[in-house]
Amino acid sequence: INPPAYSLSDAVEIVKLFVLQFTIFGLIYPVGINFPKGIAFPNRILIKSPKPKPGMTFKIFVNNLNSNLGLKAKEYLINERHLSEEAIKEFNIGLALNDNNLNKLLSSKGYSDKDIIEMSLANKTDNGLLDMFRNRITFPICNHEGKIIAYSARIYQNEDTSKYINSKESVIFKKGYTFYNYDKCRLEALKSKSVILVEGQMDAIRVYTSGFKNVIASMGTAITSNHISLLKKLNAKVILMMDNDNAGEKSTILNGEE
């Protein structure tokens, strides 16, 4: 019995299966597969790694928080910020360690320094790359579809004067176009016909876990015309709940004028 003839479409399907099963860190190794005569493959095929995205690292941060190295950070969240384990899990809150290993891990997977810097995962120094978020609690920032586009990272041991550090603006993240928790808030705001606007991520999480899920945060920036456009899409009454201090009062006034 003669073996079945292979068409070009057969070859394409074989290659698709091959790529799916044998891709490891960007390398394909043809092992244990006998291809029909006339189809030649090199010993290995190099596949260009995609650009890194902020969302690819959130599991690393979450695992850090849930490890022994994250005990103090988790105690801070629970005992001082009064967040529950459920809230920490739902919002994918994590921890960036102080070991400067994240950029090294990404480099080992084939990502370039330029790509890592553009995604605000590290900064360039005279001594090489330095992780952007170090010894900080991380809050993923999502777009309206719930995809992670950036991070906001907070100190928890008062060792830095900058309370929060945000990802740098990029093609996919612009603060003037983004509300924290907008993705979770949308349906709730449409149902309740109202949306609560607070200043920071921690404020939004506390309000959300208190039962008011129609809450968003401006992440400490003044409201822009693009923010207003996002609010109009909700077709809901806006309730301002800013911090009761001078900065909060000023922000309330500015936002009211918008």
Side-chain angles (χ1 to χ4, degrees):
I1 299 175
N2 294 325
Y6 287 88
S7 66
L8 179 59
S9 61
D10 293 326
V12 170
E13 291 304 316
I14 290 171
V15 171
K16 285 182 179 178
L17 175 63
F18 192 63
V19 171
L20 179 64
Q21 296 293 331
F22 294 93
T23 300
I24 303 174
F25 299 139
L27 298 178
I28 298 176
Y29 293 90
V31 179
I33 296 180
N34 294 319
F35 292 95
K37 292 181 179 180
I39 300 178
F41 289 92
N43 288 332
R44 70 177 184 176
I45 304 170
L46 292 177
I47 302 297
K48 181 175 175 57
S49 298
K51 287 183 177 293
K53 298 177 180 179
M56 66 188 292
T57 58
F58 90 91
K59 287 186 178 179
I60 295 175
F61 294 145
V62 168
N63 289 338
N64 289 342
L65 184 64
N66 291 318
S67 71
N68 289 334
L69 295 174
L71 289 177
K72 288 185 178 180
K74 183 167 278 192
E75 287 175 1
Y76 167 83
L77 289 169
I78 294 173
N79 298 331
E80 296 188 39
R81 307 305 297 189
H82 309 295
L83 299 185
S84 65
E85 288 274 7
E86 291 75 16
I88 293 170
K89 183 177 181 180
E90 181 171 1
F91 285 88
N92 290 315
I93 299 173
L95 175 67
L97 300 179
N98 203 28
D99 54 14
N100 199 42
N101 280 337
L102 180 59
N103 72 81
K104 296 173 184 175
L105 175 64
L106 293 173
S107 294
S108 72
K109 305 303 181 188
Y111 297 109
S112 69
D113 288 3
K114 180 182 177 182
D115 288 340
I116 297 170
I117 292 169
E118 284 181 352
M119 286 298 100
S120 291
L121 298 174
N123 291 317
K124 189 172 183 61
T125 71
D126 293 338
N127 297 318
L129 293 186
L130 183 66
D131 287 350
M132 182 166 176
F133 307 116
R134 301 183 310 283
N135 204 29
R136 288 175 175 267
I137 293 171
T138 57
F139 299 85
I141 300 170
C142 300
N143 62 14
H144 67 282
E145 296 177 339
K147 295 180 180 178
I148 298 173
I149 56 174
Y151 289 99
S152 186
R154 192 192 195 286
I155 59 173
Y156 64 99
Q157 294 179 318
N158 297 320
E159 71 284 3
D160 196 315
T161 55
S162 300
K163 186 181 291 186
Y164 281 96
I165 291 178
N166 295 319
S167 295
K168 297 174 183 176
E169 294 202 343
S170 66
V171 174
I172 61 174
F173 170 60
K174 295 187 184 302
K175 290 181 71 174
Y177 287 76
T178 309
F179 282 118
Y180 181 74
N181 199 51
Y182 188 84
D183 57 308
K184 290 185 174 68
C185 169
R186 285 194 304 162
L187 290 179
E188 296 295 331
L190 291 172
K191 287 190 292 185
S192 66
K193 296 298 180 181
S194 64
V195 57
I196 302 169
L197 176 59
V198 298
E199 283 190 66
Q201 295 90 315
M202 206 75 80
D203 301 322
I205 294 171
R206 284 201 297 265
V207 172
Y208 182 95
T209 55
S210 296
F212 300 94
K213 297 188 176 182
N214 55 327
V215 60
I216 54 177
S218 62
M219 297 185 291
T221 63
I223 298 299
T224 67
S225 59
N226 296 308
H227 282 135
I228 297 298
S229 296
L230 287 174
L231 290 172
K232 286 181 177 178
K233 288 180 181 179
L234 298 176
N235 192 27
K237 178 176 67 176
V238 179
I239 302 170
L240 297 176
M241 291 182 61
M242 299 299 176
D243 290 346
N244 188 26
D245 57 20
N246 291 335
E249 290 173 7
K250 182 178 180 181
S251 180
T252 300
I253 295 169
L254 290 174
N255 293 344
E257 289 175 350
E258 290 281 358

